[in-house]
Amino acid sequence: MTTAPGEPDGAQSIDLRFLTRDVSAEEAAAVTAVIVAAVDEEQASPPPPARSDWAHPRNALRPPIEVGPGRWTSSLR
């Protein structure tokens, strides 16, 4: 969709071609309205917020437990 020169601000031109035969003017208008509304909604929605590294699922994993002599006593220090 583009804004055509000579059209008022906010008016958009859409190049839409129906391949189905015998489309009535009402059907064409309804389909065009739905497509234009969907494109406008897509353009108006803000992008999803970027996920911070603090919230990344990989940071929820614990480091591996080290097994061996003296490991329990060193964990208390």
Side-chain angles (χ1 to χ4, degrees):
M1 288 180 30
T2 60
T3 302
E7 289 186 2
D9 290 338
Q12 296 179 339
S13 172
I14 185 169
D15 184 25
L16 186 63
R17 182 175 49 164
F18 291 93
L19 299 178
T20 306
R21 294 185 176 123
D22 300 329
V23 175
S24 68
E26 293 83 18
E27 292 171 337
V31 169
T32 304
V34 169
I35 291 173
V36 168
V39 169
D40 287 344
E41 182 178 333
E42 179 78 21
Q43 292 174 350
S45 64
R51 183 186 295 189
S52 72
D53 284 337
W54 288 99
H56 199 281
R58 73 169 176 256
N59 295 332
L61 298 175
R62 302 176 112 196
I65 298 174
E66 297 178 17
V67 180
R71 291 297 176 189
W72 286 106
T73 56
S74 63
S75 68
L76 297 176
R77 294 182 187 164

